[in-house]
Amino acid sequence: MRLVILGGPGAGKGTQGRLLCENLGIPWIATGEIFRKAIAADTPLGIKAKPYVEQGELVPDAIAIEFIRDRLNQADAANGWLLDGYPRTAFQAEELDFLLQDMGQQLDWAIWLDAPVEVLMQRSLERSRDDDAPQIVRRRIDLFHQRTIPITGYYKPQDKLLRIDSDRPREVVQEDLLAQLNAPQA
Ligand code: AMP
């Protein structure tokens, strides 16, 4: 299965994405985590991403797209994957479709983990990552509304959007996700 998971900071992308990957046996590709690790290890990707990630800004599309192109061409991604945190912009969503077309593949579902802003804020502040400081979280939530929510309007007409209420206990969200992926029309 080929999935993307959309959601603001604190929506549960990481938790739900990881669980889903275990349940479905597909690799979890989380751009935010990959950028954070690359920054900590001072790799060329990390050096490019650092100023943006630290300020809660989006890494430029060209960098994100190039990374995804390389990553999806790796052997473990041949039979499916879940992208957590990509796409973040309408441009990235279109580029993903072009890339998949070139590879003779198709996205199955775009999962939107939806939760009220207060919940996103509170959950993010309970973590202690560098980019979870209050003013940076606020910026990340704003960017989510401005740049990422519009992507739902890209997937909806393709009948690929699966909106999930993520303001519920994590086990309930995961069960709902698995049920919907198995019988999405229900
Ligand atoms: P996340 O853990 O998904 O919230 O991502 C953490 C940070 O990584 C974001 O605030 C952005 O700076 C950066 N980031 C992650 N994925 C992307 C992407 N697809 N495009 C641009 N920036 C991204």
Side-chain angles (χ1 to χ4, degrees):
M1 200 163 319
R2 295 185 174 88
L3 305 169
V4 302
I5 192 161
L6 313 171
K13 286 187 286 128
T15 308
Q16 298 300 334
R18 246 183 283 224
L19 277 172
L20 207 52
C21 286
E22 276 170 29
N23 283 318
L24 299 174
I26 50 177
W28 178 62
I29 301 173
T31 45
E33 286 303 305
I34 291 163
F35 290 148
R36 281 191 201 92
K37 281 195 184 136
I39 291 168
D42 229 7
T43 67
L45 178 67
I47 292 166
K48 282 192 263 181
K50 184 173 169 152
Y52 305 98
V53 175
E54 284 185 343
Q55 296 302 315
E57 298 295 331
L58 293 179
V59 169
D61 281 339
I63 297 174
I65 290 163
E66 190 191 340
F67 170 77
I68 283 293
R69 184 176 300 121
D70 286 353
R71 185 62 189 87
L72 295 189
N73 275 299
Q74 286 173 25
D76 68 328
N79 296 316
W81 31 254
L82 181 147
L83 302 186
D84 164 349
Y86 187 102
R88 260 324 211 274
T89 64
F91 188 69
Q92 291 184 11
E94 281 177 344
E95 287 294 320
L96 178 62
D97 276 348
F98 294 142
L99 172 63
L100 293 179
Q101 246 169 35
D102 286 350
M103 297 172 82
Q105 299 178 354
Q106 262 199 9
L107 184 73
D108 292 294
W109 294 105
I111 298 162
W112 174 21
L113 289 183
D114 194 14
V117 171
E118 311 80 64
V119 173
L120 299 183
M121 197 70 197
Q122 191 195 336
R123 285 193 191 154
S124 297
L125 296 180
E126 282 163 6
R127 305 188 289 213
S128 55
R129 298 189 310 212
D130 290 347
D131 57 336
D132 285 327
Q135 72 280 18
I136 295 179
V137 170
R138 225 164 274 130
R139 177 67 184 149
R140 292 169 63 202
I141 292 175
D142 282 352
L143 277 175
F144 175 68
H145 285 111
Q146 287 167 23
R147 309 293 306 275
T148 308
I149 295 250
I151 304 178
T152 60
Y154 177 79
Y155 289 120
K156 198 166 182 346
Q158 301 180 25
D159 283 330
K160 289 194 172 167
L161 187 68
L162 215 54
R163 184 190 160 276
I164 301 281
D165 173 7
S166 75
D167 186 16
R168 296 179 294 172
R170 66 178 64 177
E171 309 75 42
V172 178
V173 174
Q174 183 68 198
E175 262 173 42
D176 192 9
L177 262 172
L178 286 168
Q180 302 246 14
L181 288 173
N182 287 326
Q185 295 84 351

